[in-house]
Amino acid sequence: MATAILKEIYELDIIRTRDPEALNKREIVYDVGGGEFDHHGIDKVYRDDDIPYAACGLIWRAFGKTVISNYDSDLTKNEIEEIHEHVDRILIKGIDALDNGIGLFEDRGKKFSLMHISSMISSFNPVWNSEESEDTAFNNAVTFASTILKNVLKRKFAELKYKDTLKQAYNQREKSEVLILEVDGPWSEALPEIDENEEVIFVIYKRKDSYALQTVRGSDGEDRRKLPESWGGKTDEKLAEVTGVKDAVFCHTGLFIAVAKSYEGIMKMADIALNVE
């Protein structure tokens, strides 16, 4: 991932080695060599939350803002700072934690394992009976990491550009509990900053050929209110029967999203959901 970050700025001639003589000839050395971007020494650099930096984080800390500003020269300093912190928080920090031997998940006795970005990148390493070279595998992993990095940046840029649309819709609410969006976008990421008092319970937005009613999560990570239990898992005629909305389409068993074909239908479902105790 550190290499993917640097590729956003430089045309790289990469040498993977621990040979001190070879390293001394390179412009940037990371993850080895004992220098600024090697985290293997005793004197580690720590974030404010005590998660130590690894090579990836050290590279992002030094070069990330340049990567961001190269994408959009019109970004303000505060916006660059926000994007830089966001990428570190949701992508880089987890990589650094694992690279420093810190586990990411609590053991809750669950009988499943969840792949994460580091395990996905590690999966590019050649298996024991493979004839693929380590350098080829590394380059393939970098291509994958570059895609992930670009997608994270793309989504955050989209969120920033969507904020004005979201603020306008928020200020035009007829009911404080319901936010209606004419243009769907990354509202779940941006809404907490706008809705500081956590007034919005449901968000309505247009889909390709229907309308959705979705719950909003509070600062505790839980839905501020679930959709009615009687809706859960029902579709079409069965959902229409319990809601009285003829064009109701479905409600998820998790009670966090429901869909109707018309705006009038989804508004009626929102009214019902608001008034159910």
Side-chain angles (χ1 to χ4, degrees):
M1 185 61 76
T3 304
I5 293 165
L6 291 171
K7 280 187 69 176
E8 292 294 313
I9 306 172
Y10 302 110
E11 291 288 336
L12 297 184
D13 174 23
I14 304 169
I15 295 179
R16 301 176 67 238
T17 182
R18 294 181 183 274
D19 179 10
E21 186 175 341
L23 294 176
N24 287 336
K25 298 176 182 178
R26 311 307 293 181
E27 183 177 355
I28 300 173
V29 177
Y30 51 103
D31 204 38
V32 295
E36 178 184 0
F37 303 116
D38 185 357
H39 70 284
H40 294 101
I42 296 174
D43 298 325
K44 292 184 181 293
V45 182
Y46 288 82
R47 294 170 172 83
D48 291 340
D49 60 2
D50 293 330
I51 299 296
Y53 285 91
C56 181
L58 293 169
I59 289 291
W60 180 250
R61 188 175 69 158
F63 298 97
K65 291 177 184 177
T66 301
V67 172
I68 295 163
S69 59
N70 283 352
Y71 269 81
D72 188 344
S73 59
D74 292 330
L75 291 170
T76 66
K77 183 178 179 181
N78 287 340
E79 288 173 332
I80 292 172
E81 289 282 354
E82 179 181 343
I83 297 169
H84 188 259
E85 188 279 331
H86 172 80
V87 174
D88 184 76
R89 176 168 47 83
I90 73 162
L91 177 63
I92 308 298
K93 189 188 294 187
I95 294 173
D96 282 7
L98 286 167
D99 207 357
N100 280 293
I102 300 172
L104 293 182
F105 308 107
E106 296 179 11
D107 181 8
R108 297 192 177 103
K110 301 293 186 182
K111 295 182 179 180
F112 66 87
S113 59
L114 181 68
M115 289 194 75
H116 46 75
I117 184 62
S118 293
S119 61
M120 292 176 188
I121 290 175
S122 294
S123 71
F124 284 87
N125 286 325
V127 295
W128 70 272
N129 57 350
S130 171
E131 296 183 0
E132 181 184 25
S133 74
E134 287 190 0
D135 284 345
T136 298
F138 178 81
N139 290 333
N140 290 337
V142 170
T143 299
F144 171 77
S146 292
T147 300
I148 298 299
L149 176 63
K150 288 175 181 176
N151 285 345
V152 169
L153 287 167
K154 180 174 65 177
R155 291 187 67 84
K156 186 60 180 178
F157 289 139
E159 177 193 325
L160 286 176
K161 292 183 182 299
Y162 189 68
K163 276 185 179 179
D164 287 341
T165 299
L166 190 62
K167 286 178 182 177
Q168 184 176 1
Y170 184 84
N171 293 331
Q172 293 176 346
R173 287 171 299 156
E174 294 183 4
K175 293 183 179 180
S176 60
E177 303 94 337
V178 180
L179 176 65
I180 301 171
L181 301 173
E182 293 183 6
V183 179
D184 184 26
W187 57 266
S188 61
E189 293 92 341
L191 184 58
E193 180 183 331
I194 298 170
D195 187 29
E196 295 179 358
N197 295 324
E198 299 195 351
E199 297 175 355
V200 178
I201 296 175
F202 300 123
V203 173
I204 289 172
Y205 55 89
K206 193 175 189 321
R207 291 158 46 110
K208 189 173 183 180
D209 55 359
S210 58
Y211 290 84
L213 171 67
Q214 189 165 332
T215 60
V216 175
R217 290 183 176 178
S219 56
D220 60 0
E222 299 294 329
D223 290 324
R224 293 174 187 170
R225 184 183 300 182
K226 293 284 190 182
L227 296 172
E229 279 192 41
S230 62
W231 297 6
K234 290 185 172 63
T235 61
D236 302 323
E237 292 85 359
K238 289 184 178 180
L239 184 57
E241 184 178 340
V242 298
T243 61
V245 176
K246 293 181 180 180
D247 62 358
V249 177
F250 89 95
C251 178
H252 197 282
T253 53
L255 303 176
F256 66 89
I257 187 170
V259 172
K261 290 182 180 178
S262 69
Y263 177 76
E264 293 75 19
I266 208 66
M267 287 299 295
K268 185 175 180 180
M269 293 176 78
D271 286 338
I272 295 169
L274 282 175
N275 290 298
V276 170
E277 296 294 334

